[in-house]
mmCIF file with all atom_site columns, all heavy atoms in Angstrom:
data_model
loop_
_atom_site.group_PDB
_atom_site.id
_atom_site.type_symbol
_atom_site.label_atom_id
_atom_site.label_alt_id
_atom_site.label_comp_id
_atom_site.label_asym_id
_atom_site.label_entity_id
_atom_site.label_seq_id
_atom_site.pdbx_PDB_ins_code
_atom_site.Cartn_x
_atom_site.Cartn_y
_atom_site.Cartn_z
_atom_site.occupancy
_atom_site.B_iso_or_equiv
_atom_site.pdbx_formal_charge
_atom_site.auth_seq_id
_atom_site.auth_comp_id
_atom_site.auth_asym_id
_atom_site.auth_atom_id
_atom_site.pdbx_PDB_model_num
ATOM 1   N N   . SER A 1 1  ? 107.857 112.362 44.200 1.00 98.00 ? 571 SER A N   1
ATOM 2   C CA  . SER A 1 1  ? 108.116 113.787 44.039 1.00 98.00 ? 571 SER A CA  1
ATOM 3   C C   . SER A 1 1  ? 108.398 114.121 42.585 1.00 98.00 ? 571 SER A C   1
ATOM 4   O O   . SER A 1 1  ? 108.911 113.298 41.821 1.00 98.00 ? 571 SER A O   1
ATOM 5   C CB  . SER A 1 1  ? 109.315 114.223 44.884 1.00 98.00 ? 571 SER A CB  1
ATOM 6   O OG  . SER A 1 1  ? 109.092 114.021 46.262 1.00 98.00 ? 571 SER A OG  1
ATOM 7   N N   . LEU A 1 2  ? 108.067 115.343 42.214 1.00 98.00 ? 572 LEU A N   1
ATOM 8   C CA  . LEU A 1 2  ? 108.416 115.922 40.936 1.00 98.00 ? 572 LEU A CA  1
ATOM 9   C C   . LEU A 1 2  ? 108.723 117.395 41.146 1.00 98.00 ? 572 LEU A C   1
ATOM 10  O O   . LEU A 1 2  ? 108.221 118.012 42.091 1.00 98.00 ? 572 LEU A O   1
ATOM 11  C CB  . LEU A 1 2  ? 107.279 115.793 39.917 1.00 98.00 ? 572 LEU A CB  1
ATOM 12  C CG  . LEU A 1 2  ? 106.999 114.437 39.287 1.00 98.00 ? 572 LEU A CG  1
ATOM 13  C CD1 . LEU A 1 2  ? 105.726 114.523 38.439 1.00 98.00 ? 572 LEU A CD1 1
ATOM 14  C CD2 . LEU A 1 2  ? 108.166 113.975 38.434 1.00 98.00 ? 572 LEU A CD2 1
ATOM 15  N N   . ARG A 1 3  ? 109.521 117.956 40.245 1.00 98.00 ? 573 ARG A N   1
ATOM 16  C CA  . ARG A 1 3  ? 109.762 119.387 40.243 1.00 98.00 ? 573 ARG A CA  1
ATOM 17  C C   . ARG A 1 3  ? 109.430 119.948 38.874 1.00 98.00 ? 573 ARG A C   1
ATOM 18  O O   . ARG A 1 3  ? 110.015 119.542 37.864 1.00 98.00 ? 573 ARG A O   1
ATOM 19  C CB  . ARG A 1 3  ? 111.208 119.729 40.605 1.00 98.00 ? 573 ARG A CB  1
ATOM 20  C CG  . ARG A 1 3  ? 111.419 121.242 40.746 1.00 98.00 ? 573 ARG A CG  1
ATOM 21  C CD  . ARG A 1 3  ? 112.808 121.605 41.224 1.00 98.00 ? 573 ARG A CD  1
ATOM 22  N NE  . ARG A 1 3  ? 113.817 121.349 40.212 1.00 98.00 ? 573 ARG A NE  1
ATOM 23  C CZ  . ARG A 1 3  ? 115.082 121.747 40.308 1.00 98.00 ? 573 ARG A CZ  1
ATOM 24  N NH1 . ARG A 1 3  ? 115.481 122.423 41.394 1.00 98.00 ? 573 ARG A NH1 1
ATOM 25  N NH2 . ARG A 1 3  ? 115.941 121.462 39.352 1.00 98.00 ? 573 ARG A NH2 1
ATOM 26  N N   . LEU A 1 4  ? 108.504 120.881 38.844 1.00 98.00 ? 574 LEU A N   1
ATOM 27  C CA  . LEU A 1 4  ? 108.122 121.558 37.624 1.00 98.00 ? 574 LEU A CA  1
ATOM 28  C C   . LEU A 1 4  ? 108.912 122.849 37.469 1.00 98.00 ? 574 LEU A C   1
ATOM 29  O O   . LEU A 1 4  ? 109.239 123.507 38.456 1.00 98.00 ? 574 LEU A O   1
ATOM 30  C CB  . LEU A 1 4  ? 106.628 121.874 37.619 1.00 98.00 ? 574 LEU A CB  1
ATOM 31  C CG  . LEU A 1 4  ? 105.672 120.712 37.890 1.00 98.00 ? 574 LEU A CG  1
ATOM 32  C CD1 . LEU A 1 4  ? 104.229 121.185 37.787 1.00 98.00 ? 574 LEU A CD1 1
ATOM 33  C CD2 . LEU A 1 4  ? 105.946 119.556 36.938 1.00 98.00 ? 574 LEU A CD2 1
ATOM 34  N N   . SER A 1 5  ? 109.189 123.214 36.225 1.00 98.00 ? 575 SER A N   1
ATOM 35  C CA  . SER A 1 5  ? 109.891 124.452 35.913 1.00 98.00 ? 575 SER A CA  1
ATOM 36  C C   . SER A 1 5  ? 109.082 125.259 34.918 1.00 98.00 ? 575 SER A C   1
ATOM 37  O O   . SER A 1 5  ? 108.382 124.701 34.073 1.00 98.00 ? 575 SER A O   1
ATOM 38  C CB  . SER A 1 5  ? 111.275 124.171 35.322 1.00 98.00 ? 575 SER A CB  1
ATOM 39  O OG  . SER A 1 5  ? 112.082 123.437 36.214 1.00 98.00 ? 575 SER A OG  1
ATOM 40  N N   . CYS A 1 6  ? 109.195 126.569 35.003 1.00 98.00 ? 576 CYS A N   1
ATOM 41  C CA  . CYS A 1 6  ? 108.537 127.473 34.077 1.00 98.00 ? 576 CYS A CA  1
ATOM 42  C C   . CYS A 1 6  ? 109.468 128.627 33.776 1.00 98.00 ? 576 CYS A C   1
ATOM 43  O O   . CYS A 1 6  ? 109.830 129.383 34.683 1.00 98.00 ? 576 CYS A O   1
ATOM 44  C CB  . CYS A 1 6  ? 107.214 127.984 34.659 1.00 98.00 ? 576 CYS A CB  1
ATOM 45  S SG  . CYS A 1 6  ? 106.430 129.280 33.678 1.00 98.00 ? 576 CYS A SG  1
ATOM 46  N N   . ALA A 1 7  ? 109.844 128.764 32.510 1.00 96.00 ? 577 ALA A N   1
ATOM 47  C CA  . ALA A 1 7  ? 110.707 129.845 32.073 1.00 96.00 ? 577 ALA A CA  1
ATOM 48  C C   . ALA A 1 7  ? 109.876 130.946 31.435 1.00 96.00 ? 577 ALA A C   1
ATOM 49  O O   . ALA A 1 7  ? 108.940 130.678 30.688 1.00 96.00 ? 577 ALA A O   1
ATOM 50  C CB  . ALA A 1 7  ? 111.746 129.333 31.078 1.00 96.00 ? 577 ALA A CB  1
ATOM 51  N N   . ALA A 1 8  ? 110.236 132.184 31.730 1.00 96.00 ? 578 ALA A N   1
ATOM 52  C CA  . ALA A 1 8  ? 109.523 133.345 31.228 1.00 96.00 ? 578 ALA A CA  1
ATOM 53  C C   . ALA A 1 8  ? 110.491 134.359 30.650 1.00 96.00 ? 578 ALA A C   1
ATOM 54  O O   . ALA A 1 8  ? 111.661 134.401 31.051 1.00 96.00 ? 578 ALA A O   1
ATOM 55  C CB  . ALA A 1 8  ? 108.698 133.997 32.338 1.00 96.00 ? 578 ALA A CB  1
ATOM 56  N N   . PRO A 1 9  ? 110.046 135.205 29.729 1.00 94.00 ? 579 PRO A N   1
ATOM 57  C CA  . PRO A 1 9  ? 110.884 136.311 29.290 1.00 94.00 ? 579 PRO A CA  1
ATOM 58  C C   . PRO A 1 9  ? 111.262 137.185 30.470 1.00 94.00 ? 579 PRO A C   1
ATOM 59  O O   . PRO A 1 9  ? 110.459 137.417 31.374 1.00 94.00 ? 579 PRO A O   1
ATOM 60  C CB  . PRO A 1 9  ? 109.997 137.062 28.291 1.00 94.00 ? 579 PRO A CB  1
ATOM 61  C CG  . PRO A 1 9  ? 109.015 136.042 27.814 1.00 94.00 ? 579 PRO A CG  1
ATOM 62  C CD  . PRO A 1 9  ? 108.760 135.164 28.997 1.00 94.00 ? 579 PRO A CD  1
ATOM 63  N N   . ALA A 1 10 ? 112.486 137.684 30.463 1.00 94.00 ? 580 ALA A N   1
ATOM 64  C CA  . ALA A 1 10 ? 113.007 138.422 31.606 1.00 94.00 ? 580 ALA A CA  1
ATOM 65  C C   . ALA A 1 10 ? 112.141 139.620 31.960 1.00 94.00 ? 580 ALA A C   1
ATOM 66  O O   . ALA A 1 10 ? 111.876 139.871 33.141 1.00 94.00 ? 580 ALA A O   1
ATOM 67  C CB  . ALA A 1 10 ? 114.445 138.861 31.337 1.00 94.00 ? 580 ALA A CB  1
ATOM 68  N N   . ALA A 1 11 ? 111.700 140.370 30.972 1.00 92.00 ? 581 ALA A N   1
ATOM 69  C CA  . ALA A 1 11 ? 110.911 141.565 31.245 1.00 92.00 ? 581 ALA A CA  1
ATOM 70  C C   . ALA A 1 11 ? 109.593 141.224 31.919 1.00 92.00 ? 581 ALA A C   1
ATOM 71  O O   . ALA A 1 11 ? 109.088 142.006 32.732 1.00 92.00 ? 581 ALA A O   1
ATOM 72  C CB  . ALA A 1 11 ? 110.668 142.338 29.950 1.00 92.00 ? 581 ALA A CB  1
ATOM 73  N N   . ILE A 1 12 ? 109.027 140.088 31.580 1.00 93.00 ? 582 ILE A N   1
ATOM 74  C CA  . ILE A 1 12 ? 107.794 139.645 32.205 1.00 93.00 ? 582 ILE A CA  1
ATOM 75  C C   . ILE A 1 12 ? 108.066 139.108 33.599 1.00 93.00 ? 582 ILE A C   1
ATOM 76  O O   . ILE A 1 12 ? 107.377 139.449 34.567 1.00 93.00 ? 582 ILE A O   1
ATOM 77  C CB  . ILE A 1 12 ? 107.104 138.573 31.338 1.00 93.00 ? 582 ILE A CB  1
ATOM 78  C CG1 . ILE A 1 12 ? 106.763 139.146 29.960 1.00 93.00 ? 582 ILE A CG1 1
ATOM 79  C CG2 . ILE A 1 12 ? 105.857 138.044 32.039 1.00 93.00 ? 582 ILE A CG2 1
ATOM 80  C CD1 . ILE A 1 12 ? 105.837 140.324 29.984 1.00 93.00 ? 582 ILE A CD1 1
ATOM 81  N N   . PHE A 1 13 ? 109.087 138.279 33.723 1.00 94.00 ? 583 PHE A N   1
ATOM 82  C CA  . PHE A 1 13 ? 109.373 137.605 34.980 1.00 94.00 ? 583 PHE A CA  1
ATOM 83  C C   . PHE A 1 13 ? 109.655 138.597 36.107 1.00 94.00 ? 583 PHE A C   1
ATOM 84  O O   . PHE A 1 13 ? 109.153 138.442 37.224 1.00 94.00 ? 583 PHE A O   1
ATOM 85  C CB  . PHE A 1 13 ? 110.564 136.661 34.796 1.00 94.00 ? 583 PHE A CB  1
ATOM 86  C CG  . PHE A 1 13 ? 110.861 135.807 35.998 1.00 94.00 ? 583 PHE A CG  1
ATOM 87  C CD1 . PHE A 1 13 ? 110.236 134.587 36.166 1.00 94.00 ? 583 PHE A CD1 1
ATOM 88  C CD2 . PHE A 1 13 ? 111.776 136.221 36.953 1.00 94.00 ? 583 PHE A CD2 1
ATOM 89  C CE1 . PHE A 1 13 ? 110.509 133.791 37.262 1.00 94.00 ? 583 PHE A CE1 1
ATOM 90  C CE2 . PHE A 1 13 ? 112.053 135.433 38.056 1.00 94.00 ? 583 PHE A CE2 1
ATOM 91  C CZ  . PHE A 1 13 ? 111.418 134.217 38.215 1.00 94.00 ? 583 PHE A CZ  1
ATOM 92  N N   . ARG A 1 14 ? 110.445 139.606 35.822 1.00 93.00 ? 584 ARG A N   1
ATOM 93  C CA  . ARG A 1 14 ? 110.899 140.519 36.872 1.00 93.00 ? 584 ARG A CA  1
ATOM 94  C C   . ARG A 1 14 ? 109.792 141.415 37.398 1.00 93.00 ? 584 ARG A C   1
ATOM 95  O O   . ARG A 1 14 ? 109.945 141.989 38.486 1.00 93.00 ? 584 ARG A O   1
ATOM 96  C CB  . ARG A 1 14 ? 112.062 141.366 36.349 1.00 93.00 ? 584 ARG A CB  1
ATOM 97  C CG  . ARG A 1 14 ? 113.314 140.552 36.078 1.00 93.00 ? 584 ARG A CG  1
ATOM 98  C CD  . ARG A 1 14 ? 114.445 141.424 35.567 1.00 93.00 ? 584 ARG A CD  1
ATOM 99  N NE  . ARG A 1 14 ? 115.628 140.639 35.251 1.00 93.00 ? 584 ARG A NE  1
ATOM 100 C CZ  . ARG A 1 14 ? 116.561 140.294 36.137 1.00 93.00 ? 584 ARG A CZ  1
ATOM 101 N NH1 . ARG A 1 14 ? 116.453 140.678 37.391 1.00 93.00 ? 584 ARG A NH1 1
ATOM 102 N NH2 . ARG A 1 14 ? 117.600 139.572 35.753 1.00 93.00 ? 584 ARG A NH2 1
ATOM 103 N N   . SER A 1 15 ? 108.706 141.566 36.670 1.00 94.00 ? 585 SER A N   1
ATOM 104 C CA  . SER A 1 15 ? 107.627 142.454 37.072 1.00 94.00 ? 585 SER A CA  1
ATOM 105 C C   . SER A 1 15 ? 106.330 141.717 37.370 1.00 94.00 ? 585 SER A C   1
ATOM 106 O O   . SER A 1 15 ? 105.288 142.360 37.530 1.00 94.00 ? 585 SER A O   1
ATOM 107 C CB  . SER A 1 15 ? 107.380 143.501 35.986 1.00 94.00 ? 585 SER A CB  1
ATOM 108 O OG  . SER A 1 15 ? 107.007 142.890 34.767 1.00 94.00 ? 585 SER A OG  1
ATOM 109 N N   . SER A 1 16 ? 106.379 140.393 37.470 1.00 96.00 ? 586 SER A N   1
ATOM 110 C CA  . SER A 1 16 ? 105.164 139.606 37.596 1.00 96.00 ? 586 SER A CA  1
ATOM 111 C C   . SER A 1 16 ? 105.171 138.736 38.838 1.00 96.00 ? 586 SER A C   1
ATOM 112 O O   . SER A 1 16 ? 106.209 138.220 39.250 1.00 96.00 ? 586 SER A O   1
ATOM 113 C CB  . SER A 1 16 ? 104.981 138.702 36.370 1.00 96.00 ? 586 SER A CB  1
ATOM 114 O OG  . SER A 1 16 ? 104.849 139.454 35.184 1.00 96.00 ? 586 SER A OG  1
ATOM 115 N N   . ASN A 1 17 ? 103.983 138.576 39.419 1.00 97.00 ? 587 ASN A N   1
ATOM 116 C CA  . ASN A 1 17 ? 103.766 137.477 40.338 1.00 97.00 ? 587 ASN A CA  1
ATOM 117 C C   . ASN A 1 17 ? 103.664 136.200 39.511 1.00 97.00 ? 587 ASN A C   1
ATOM 118 O O   . ASN A 1 17 ? 102.891 136.135 38.547 1.00 97.00 ? 587 ASN A O   1
ATOM 119 C CB  . ASN A 1 17 ? 102.480 137.671 41.130 1.00 97.00 ? 587 ASN A CB  1
ATOM 120 C CG  . ASN A 1 17 ? 102.541 138.864 42.052 1.00 97.00 ? 587 ASN A CG  1
ATOM 121 O OD1 . ASN A 1 17 ? 103.612 139.339 42.406 1.00 97.00 ? 587 ASN A OD1 1
ATOM 122 N ND2 . ASN A 1 17 ? 101.366 139.345 42.464 1.00 97.00 ? 587 ASN A ND2 1
ATOM 123 N N   . MET A 1 18 ? 104.446 135.199 39.882 1.00 97.00 ? 588 MET A N   1
ATOM 124 C CA  . MET A 1 18 ? 104.447 133.928 39.165 1.00 97.00 ? 588 MET A CA  1
ATOM 125 C C   . MET A 1 18 ? 103.622 132.908 39.940 1.00 97.00 ? 588 MET A C   1
ATOM 126 O O   . MET A 1 18 ? 103.721 132.821 41.161 1.00 97.00 ? 588 MET A O   1
ATOM 127 C CB  . MET A 1 18 ? 105.867 133.415 38.974 1.00 97.00 ? 588 MET A CB  1
ATOM 128 C CG  . MET A 1 18 ? 106.785 134.361 38.216 1.00 97.00 ? 588 MET A CG  1
ATOM 129 S SD  . MET A 1 18 ? 106.222 134.689 36.516 1.00 97.00 ? 588 MET A SD  1
ATOM 130 C CE  . MET A 1 18 ? 106.280 133.037 35.810 1.00 97.00 ? 588 MET A CE  1
ATOM 131 N N   . GLY A 1 19 ? 102.831 132.140 39.208 1.00 97.00 ? 589 GLY A N   1
ATOM 132 C CA  . GLY A 1 19 ? 101.971 131.173 39.861 1.00 97.00 ? 589 GLY A CA  1
ATOM 133 C C   . GLY A 1 19 ? 101.837 129.890 39.083 1.00 97.00 ? 589 GLY A C   1
ATOM 134 O O   . GLY A 1 19 ? 102.157 129.814 37.893 1.00 97.00 ? 589 GLY A O   1
ATOM 135 N N   . TRP A 1 20 ? 101.365 128.878 39.790 1.00 98.00 ? 590 TRP A N   1
ATOM 136 C CA  . TRP A 1 20 ? 101.030 127.594 39.200 1.00 98.00 ? 590 TRP A CA  1
ATOM 137 C C   . TRP A 1 20 ? 99.551  127.322 39.415 1.00 98.00 ? 590 TRP A C   1
ATOM 138 O O   . TRP A 1 20 ? 99.038  127.477 40.529 1.00 98.00 ? 590 TRP A O   1
ATOM 139 C CB  . TRP A 1 20 ? 101.856 126.464 39.807 1.00 98.00 ? 590 TRP A CB  1
ATOM 140 C CG  . TRP A 1 20 ? 103.292 126.472 39.402 1.00 98.00 ? 590 TRP A CG  1
ATOM 141 C CD1 . TRP A 1 20 ? 104.335 127.014 40.085 1.00 98.00 ? 590 TRP A CD1 1
ATOM 142 C CD2 . TRP A 1 20 ? 103.844 125.899 38.215 1.00 98.00 ? 590 TRP A CD2 1
ATOM 143 N NE1 . TRP A 1 20 ? 105.507 126.824 39.401 1.00 98.00 ? 590 TRP A NE1 1
ATOM 144 C CE2 . TRP A 1 20 ? 105.233 126.135 38.242 1.00 98.00 ? 590 TRP A CE2 1
ATOM 145 C CE3 . TRP A 1 20 ? 103.305 125.206 37.130 1.00 98.00 ? 590 TRP A CE3 1
ATOM 146 C CZ2 . TRP A 1 20 ? 106.088 125.703 37.233 1.00 98.00 ? 590 TRP A CZ2 1
ATOM 147 C CZ3 . TRP A 1 20 ? 104.151 124.785 36.123 1.00 98.00 ? 590 TRP A CZ3 1
ATOM 148 C CH2 . TRP A 1 20 ? 105.524 125.030 36.181 1.00 98.00 ? 590 TRP A CH2 1
ATOM 149 N N   . TYR A 1 21 ? 98.889  126.932 38.346 1.00 98.00 ? 591 TYR A N   1
ATOM 150 C CA  . TYR A 1 21 ? 97.514  126.464 38.381 1.00 98.00 ? 591 TYR A CA  1
ATOM 151 C C   . TYR A 1 21 ? 97.485  125.013 37.927 1.00 98.00 ? 591 TYR A C   1
ATOM 152 O O   . TYR A 1 21 ? 98.446  124.513 37.338 1.00 98.00 ? 591 TYR A O   1
ATOM 153 C CB  . TYR A 1 21 ? 96.621  127.296 37.463 1.00 98.00 ? 591 TYR A CB  1
ATOM 154 C CG  . TYR A 1 21 ? 96.370  128.717 37.925 1.00 98.00 ? 591 TYR A CG  1
ATOM 155 C CD1 . TYR A 1 21 ? 97.372  129.678 37.880 1.00 98.00 ? 591 TYR A CD1 1
ATOM 156 C CD2 . TYR A 1 21 ? 95.115  129.101 38.390 1.00 98.00 ? 591 TYR A CD2 1
ATOM 157 C CE1 . TYR A 1 21 ? 97.136  130.971 38.293 1.00 98.00 ? 591 TYR A CE1 1
ATOM 158 C CE2 . TYR A 1 21 ? 94.870  130.397 38.802 1.00 98.00 ? 591 TYR A CE2 1
ATOM 159 C CZ  . TYR A 1 21 ? 95.885  131.328 38.747 1.00 98.00 ? 591 TYR A CZ  1
ATOM 160 O OH  . TYR A 1 21 ? 95.647  132.617 39.156 1.00 98.00 ? 591 TYR A OH  1
ATOM 161 N N   . ARG A 1 22 ? 96.383  124.353 38.188 1.00 98.00 ? 592 ARG A N   1
ATOM 162 C CA  . ARG A 1 22 ? 96.214  123.004 37.674 1.00 98.00 ? 592 ARG A CA  1
ATOM 163 C C   . ARG A 1 22 ? 94.754  122.756 37.348 1.00 98.00 ? 592 ARG A C   1
ATOM 164 O O   . ARG A 1 22 ? 93.856  123.386 37.910 1.00 98.00 ? 592 ARG A O   1
ATOM 165 C CB  . ARG A 1 22 ? 96.722  121.951 38.661 1.00 98.00 ? 592 ARG A CB  1
ATOM 166 C CG  . ARG A 1 22 ? 95.906  121.826 39.937 1.00 98.00 ? 592 ARG A CG  1
ATOM 167 C CD  . ARG A 1 22 ? 96.556  120.834 40.886 1.00 98.00 ? 592 ARG A CD  1
ATOM 168 N NE  . ARG A 1 22 ? 95.780  120.647 42.105 1.00 98.00 ? 592 ARG A NE  1
ATOM 169 C CZ  . ARG A 1 22 ? 96.183  119.941 43.153 1.00 98.00 ? 592 ARG A CZ  1
ATOM 170 N NH1 . ARG A 1 22 ? 97.382  119.345 43.124 1.00 98.00 ? 592 ARG A NH1 1
ATOM 171 N NH2 . ARG A 1 22 ? 95.412  119.819 44.221 1.00 98.00 ? 592 ARG A NH2 1
ATOM 172 N N   . GLN A 1 23 ? 94.543  121.833 36.424 1.00 98.00 ? 593 GLN A N   1
ATOM 173 C CA  . GLN A 1 23 ? 93.204  121.420 36.060 1.00 98.00 ? 593 GLN A CA  1
ATOM 174 C C   . GLN A 1 23 ? 93.196  119.906 35.903 1.00 98.00 ? 593 GLN A C   1
ATOM 175 O O   . GLN A 1 23 ? 93.804  119.376 34.973 1.00 98.00 ? 593 GLN A O   1
ATOM 176 C CB  . GLN A 1 23 ? 92.724  122.089 34.775 1.00 98.00 ? 593 GLN A CB  1
ATOM 177 C CG  . GLN A 1 23 ? 91.267  121.802 34.456 1.00 98.00 ? 593 GLN A CG  1
ATOM 178 C CD  . GLN A 1 23 ? 90.708  122.737 33.403 1.00 98.00 ? 593 GLN A CD  1
ATOM 179 O OE1 . GLN A 1 23 ? 91.451  123.456 32.733 1.00 98.00 ? 593 GLN A OE1 1
ATOM 180 N NE2 . GLN A 1 23 ? 89.399  122.736 33.262 1.00 98.00 ? 593 GLN A NE2 1
ATOM 181 N N   . GLY A 1 24 ? 92.546  119.227 36.830 1.00 97.00 ? 594 GLY A N   1
ATOM 182 C CA  . GLY A 1 24 ? 92.434  117.788 36.780 1.00 97.00 ? 594 GLY A CA  1
ATOM 183 C C   . GLY A 1 24 ? 91.276  117.345 35.915 1.00 97.00 ? 594 GLY A C   1
ATOM 184 O O   . GLY A 1 24 ? 90.441  118.154 35.497 1.00 97.00 ? 594 GLY A O   1
ATOM 185 N N   . PRO A 1 25 ? 91.205  116.044 35.635 1.00 93.00 ? 595 PRO A N   1
ATOM 186 C CA  . PRO A 1 25 ? 90.120  115.522 34.801 1.00 93.00 ? 595 PRO A CA  1
ATOM 187 C C   . PRO A 1 25 ? 88.754  115.845 35.394 1.00 93.00 ? 595 PRO A C   1
ATOM 188 O O   . PRO A 1 25 ? 88.481  115.513 36.556 1.00 93.00 ? 595 PRO A O   1
ATOM 189 C CB  . PRO A 1 25 ? 90.377  114.016 34.780 1.00 93.00 ? 595 PRO A CB  1
ATOM 190 C CG  . PRO A 1 25 ? 91.827  113.872 35.120 1.00 93.00 ? 595 PRO A CG  1
ATOM 191 C CD  . PRO A 1 25 ? 92.129  114.984 36.063 1.00 93.00 ? 595 PRO A CD  1
ATOM 192 N N   . GLY A 1 26 ? 87.923  116.492 34.623 1.00 93.00 ? 596 GLY A N   1
ATOM 193 C CA  . GLY A 1 26 ? 86.583  116.825 35.061 1.00 93.00 ? 596 GLY A CA  1
ATOM 194 C C   . GLY A 1 26 ? 86.502  117.884 36.138 1.00 93.00 ? 596 GLY A C   1
ATOM 195 O O   . GLY A 1 26 ? 85.450  118.033 36.765 1.00 93.00 ? 596 GLY A O   1
ATOM 196 N N   . LYS A 1 27 ? 87.575  118.617 36.356 1.00 95.00 ? 597 LYS A N   1
ATOM 197 C CA  . LYS A 1 27 ? 87.602  119.618 37.413 1.00 95.00 ? 597 LYS A CA  1
ATOM 198 C C   . LYS A 1 27 ? 87.846  121.013 36.847 1.00 95.00 ? 597 LYS A C   1
ATOM 199 O O   . LYS A 1 27 ? 88.323  121.169 35.723 1.00 95.00 ? 597 LYS A O   1
ATOM 200 C CB  . LYS A 1 27 ? 88.697  119.296 38.432 1.00 95.00 ? 597 LYS A CB  1
ATOM 201 C CG  . LYS A 1 27 ? 88.512  117.973 39.154 1.00 95.00 ? 597 LYS A CG  1
ATOM 202 C CD  . LYS A 1 27 ? 89.633  117.739 40.149 1.00 95.00 ? 597 LYS A CD  1
ATOM 203 C CE  . LYS A 1 27 ? 89.454  116.435 40.891 1.00 95.00 ? 597 LYS A CE  1
ATOM 204 N NZ  . LYS A 1 27 ? 90.560  116.213 41.869 1.00 95.00 ? 597 LYS A NZ  1
ATOM 205 N N   . GLN A 1 28 ? 87.515  122.013 37.648 1.00 96.00 ? 598 GLN A N   1
ATOM 206 C CA  . GLN A 1 28 ? 87.794  123.391 37.286 1.00 96.00 ? 598 GLN A CA  1
ATOM 207 C C   . GLN A 1 28 ? 89.262  123.720 37.529 1.00 96.00 ? 598 GLN A C   1
ATOM 208 O O   . GLN A 1 28 ? 89.939  123.071 38.332 1.00 96.00 ? 598 GLN A O   1
ATOM 209 C CB  . GLN A 1 28 ? 86.907  124.336 38.092 1.00 96.00 ? 598 GLN A CB  1
ATOM 210 C CG  . GLN A 1 28 ? 85.414  124.155 37.856 1.00 96.00 ? 598 GLN A CG  1
ATOM 211 C CD  . GLN A 1 28 ? 85.023  124.508 36.449 1.00 96.00 ? 598 GLN A CD  1
ATOM 212 O OE1 . GLN A 1 28 ? 85.494  125.500 35.893 1.00 96.00 ? 598 GLN A OE1 1
ATOM 213 N NE2 . GLN A 1 28 ? 84.164  123.694 35.848 1.00 96.00 ? 598 GLN A NE2 1
ATOM 214 N N   . ARG A 1 29 ? 89.748  124.724 36.829 1.00 97.00 ? 599 ARG A N   1
ATOM 215 C CA  . ARG A 1 29 ? 91.106  125.172 37.043 1.00 97.00 ? 599 ARG A CA  1
ATOM 216 C C   . ARG A 1 29 ? 91.258  125.728 38.458 1.00 97.00 ? 599 ARG A C   1
ATOM 217 O O   . ARG A 1 29 ? 90.407  126.476 38.944 1.00 97.00 ? 599 ARG A O   1
ATOM 218 C CB  . ARG A 1 29 ? 91.491  126.232 36.011 1.00 97.00 ? 599 ARG A CB  1
ATOM 219 C CG  . ARG A 1 29 ? 92.933  126.690 36.103 1.00 97.00 ? 599 ARG A CG  1
ATOM 220 C CD  . ARG A 1 29 ? 93.300  127.620 34.956 1.00 97.00 ? 599 ARG A CD  1
ATOM 221 N NE  . ARG A 1 29 ? 93.242  126.930 33.677 1.00 97.00 ? 599 ARG A NE  1
ATOM 222 C CZ  . ARG A 1 29 ? 93.514  127.504 32.508 1.00 97.00 ? 599 ARG A CZ  1
ATOM 223 N NH1 . ARG A 1 29 ? 93.858  128.782 32.468 1.00 97.00 ? 599 ARG A NH1 1
ATOM 224 N NH2 . ARG A 1 29 ? 93.429  126.798 31.392 1.00 97.00 ? 599 ARG A NH2 1
#
């Protein structure tokens, strides 16, 4: 297991949908 964190400016965070993307070797995002 791992836990990733992402910090954002408050004005952005409070008005945004937050998401995680990934891109593996040789793969599309």
Side-chain angles (χ1 to χ4, degrees):
S571 298
L572 286 173
R573 186 175 70 170
L574 307 183
S575 300
C576 172
I582 300 300
F583 186 88
R584 293 180 182 274
S585 61
S586 298
N587 294 339
M588 302 298 298
W590 288 96
Y591 290 71
R592 68 184 182 187
Q593 187 165 13
K597 298 180 179 180
Q598 298 295 318
R599 184 173 295 180

